Amino acid sequence: MSSTTSKVLAKVNASYATWVTASELASKIAREDSVSRCDSHVFTFLSEVPANLQQAFIEEMGVSKDAVLSVAEGFSELASFDMALRGQQTVGRTTSLQRLIAQTD
């Protein structure tokens, strides 16, 4: 397991009795129903894991960036605050993930 994955899973699983694996988390962060189910592991990933680790985990696990952005947007709307990977554009501002993607493209 990579250092990135270890750090992400330590943060995401820290407060919960039920732990998720890297592959389970990768699947959950890209699934729209994670928002409607208010999945706590996904919320923790999007709200508490630093954006650079989120980006590294997404790339390492081969998760669709667009799918994660969509889930982040859904959680942003539910929580009424911006997630680090918030998919919604705001006037004159880009999200952390969008800046990271632009740097790697």
Side-chain angles (χ1 to χ4, degrees):
M1 180 182 309
S2 75
S3 172
T4 296
T5 299
S6 295
K7 290 175 186 175
V8 168
L9 291 179
K11 186 67 163 177
V12 167
N13 287 321
S15 300
Y16 305 105
T18 305
W19 284 40
V20 293
T21 65
S23 60
E24 289 169 333
L25 181 61
S27 173
K28 288 176 174 233
I29 63 174
R31 290 181 22 200
E32 286 293 328
D33 69 334
S34 293
V35 177
S36 62
R37 291 183 303 105
C38 298
D39 188 293
S40 56
H41 291 102
V42 176
F43 181 77
T44 300
F45 176 81
L46 294 170
S47 64
E48 297 183 24
V49 172
N52 64 325
L53 283 178
Q54 291 176 359
Q55 174 68 18
F57 181 80
I58 289 166
E59 289 177 8
E60 186 175 297
M61 299 302 293
V63 179
S64 164
K65 293 173 187 175
D66 290 337
V68 180
L69 285 169
S70 180
V71 171
E73 180 178 348
F75 272 106
S76 289
E77 290 173 11
L78 284 177
S80 297
F81 66 87
D82 290 348
M83 300 291 146
L85 292 178
R86 185 172 176 242
Q88 189 175 30
Q89 284 282 333
T90 55
V91 176
R93 207 172 89 195
T94 57
T95 65
S96 299
L97 178 63
Q98 290 162 337
R99 285 190 297 275
L100 286 169
I101 291 170
Q103 291 172 0
T104 60
D105 288 346

